[in-house]
Amino acid sequence: MKNINTDEQYFYPFEANEPMAIATEALNVYYHDEYHAINDTSLQFKQNQITALIGASGSGKSTYLRSLNRMNDEVAKVTGTIDYHGVDINQPDIDVYEVRRRIGMVFQQPNPFAKSIYDNITFALKRRGITKKAALDEIVETSLKQAAVWDQLKDKLHQSALALSGGQQQRLCIARALAVKPEILLMDEPTSALDPVSTAQLEQTMKQLREQYTIIIVTHNMQQAARVSDYTVFFNAGQVVEYNKTNKIFTRPKIQLTDDYLSGNFG
Ligand SMILES: Nc1ncnc2c1ncn2[C@@H]1O[C@H](COP(=O)(O)OP(=O)(O)O)[C@@H](O)[C@H]1O
Ligand SMILES: [Mg+2]
């Protein structure tokens, strides 16, 4: 595979010394059948911004995203550096549970536990030794408020999460991720199982969450990337083609391949 990650090719939208939430340096991901899914990818993600990862199906967006909180450990070999507050969290001695607490993940399909709404949110907290009811109640309320679903759910906290609508389940999953006080939220096509109204509402919520969290979202929906994100990374065949402020990528891409992809003249 030819490496197109050269300086002339993908433009960096940042000044030196801007605060970054997380960064990868020469990240490579090989699935166990040795398929080289991510090739030498160096990217930085700015704090309190929403960065969208776009690209064709199979281009490596999810693979890259899952590597950031060590979710590929069992299925792939991941080499290179993942810099989080000056620590390389890709090292073998790193506590991956702590990594996943600080870097939470929301998946394509809402995946609440078969438990009550309340227990979904408090499950991880109890395992971390937070057991006082007042403290748990407070976190349940704050997390559901941040996920913009408190008003809908506050009177049924002890009902099963599985009885909720898809949109409500996805918000509950966001609340569950927020309950352990992460800094970064990884979202892999979080609205693809939702109807248009729930999708629009969730996009609104993401913009509010940006004030407190750094969000990296994979989306196959280019309009969604344009609507919600501050920065956009375009992946192709396991490599970054172009990285820029979202409005620049969408109005004036620097690379022909990006232009082709955005205008639908791809492949
Ligand atoms: N668990 C896996 N084992 C082997 N290959 C995988 C696995 N997951 C993804 N891949 C392959 O890696 C490539 C990138 O996949 P993925 O990251 O899911 O792309 P995207 O999210 O952009 O659609 C694809 O060719 C896919 O088939
Ligand atoms: Mg994917």
Side-chain angles (χ1 to χ4, degrees):
M1 204 188 297
K2 185 172 149 291
N3 191 347
I4 55 169
N5 288 359
T6 58
D7 287 341
E8 318 84 75
Q9 289 273 12
Y10 72 94
F11 174 72
Y12 260 96
F14 306 116
E15 307 288 329
N17 302 322
E18 284 190 70
M20 293 297 154
I22 191 165
T24 62
E25 184 65 38
L27 197 82
N28 283 278
V29 182
Y30 306 85
Y31 282 109
H32 286 165
D33 55 10
E34 306 205 335
Y35 179 71
H36 194 181
I38 291 291
N39 187 354
D40 223 15
T41 297
S42 301
L43 286 174
Q44 304 179 324
F45 298 92
K46 197 171 174 181
Q47 281 175 5
N48 296 98
Q49 301 287 301
I50 301 177
T51 305
L53 311 183
I54 65 167
S57 179
S59 59
K61 307 177 296 294
S62 298
T63 299
Y64 181 81
L65 192 78
R66 285 197 307 263
S67 298
L68 295 177
N69 73 348
R70 299 280 299 266
M71 303 255 317
N72 283 334
D73 281 15
E74 278 76 41
V75 291
K77 183 175 81 172
V78 181
T79 66
T81 303
I82 305 173
D83 181 342
Y84 177 69
H85 296 298
V87 175
D88 178 9
I89 58 169
N90 198 34
Q91 291 298 314
D93 59 344
I94 291 289
D95 177 351
V96 296
Y97 297 100
E98 184 60 14
V99 165
R100 290 174 199 160
R101 181 187 74 72
R102 291 171 180 236
I103 307 172
M105 178 85 105
V106 174
F107 298 89
Q108 185 165 355
Q109 287 295 333
N111 59 346
F113 306 133
K115 294 174 182 293
S116 71
I117 293 164
Y118 189 94
D119 289 347
N120 261 273
I121 299 175
T122 57
F123 184 73
L125 298 168
K126 287 179 181 163
R127 287 176 48 149
R128 302 182 70 85
I130 303 174
T131 51
K132 290 211 174 76
K133 184 174 178 302
L136 294 171
D137 286 353
E138 204 270 322
I139 298 173
V140 167
E141 180 170 344
T142 325
S143 311
L144 288 172
K145 280 182 173 163
Q146 287 186 328
V149 75
W150 169 250
D151 288 338
Q152 288 174 45
L153 301 189
K154 64 177 190 292
D155 296 324
K156 41 179 161 179
L157 295 178
H158 298 287
Q159 294 179 18
S160 170
L162 301 183
L164 300 175
S165 72
Q168 290 172 331
Q169 287 189 1
Q170 195 61 309
R171 284 168 183 282
L172 174 61
C173 292
I174 292 171
R176 185 176 65 186
L178 299 180
V180 295
K181 306 210 183 320
E183 286 180 41
I184 301 175
L185 266 191
L186 309 177
M187 300 181 138
D188 195 349
E189 307 203 10
T191 63
S192 65
L194 306 185
D195 62 74
V197 173
S198 304
T199 296
Q201 289 168 344
L202 205 77
E203 289 177 3
Q204 247 351 91
T205 306
M206 280 180 225
K207 291 183 187 174
Q208 286 156 11
L209 290 172
R210 168 176 59 183
E211 290 170 20
Q212 279 175 275
Y213 305 94
T214 301
I215 297 177
I216 307 173
I217 175 181
V218 167
T219 177
H220 67 265
N221 179 333
M222 287 185 276
Q223 287 76 24
Q224 178 166 72
R227 283 192 300 263
V228 301
S229 70
D230 304 290
Y231 292 88
T232 295
V233 184
F234 170 49
F235 276 87
N236 183 58
Q239 299 182 321
V240 175
V241 176
E242 189 165 350
Y243 187 8
N244 210 338
K245 288 199 158 149
T246 296
N247 59 8
K248 291 193 178 156
I249 287 260
F250 281 88
T251 55
R252 231 173 313 143
K254 292 181 188 247
I255 309 291
Q256 187 61 43
L257 195 61
T258 314
D259 203 2
D260 292 346
Y261 182 69
L262 295 177
S263 51
N265 304 322
F266 200 69

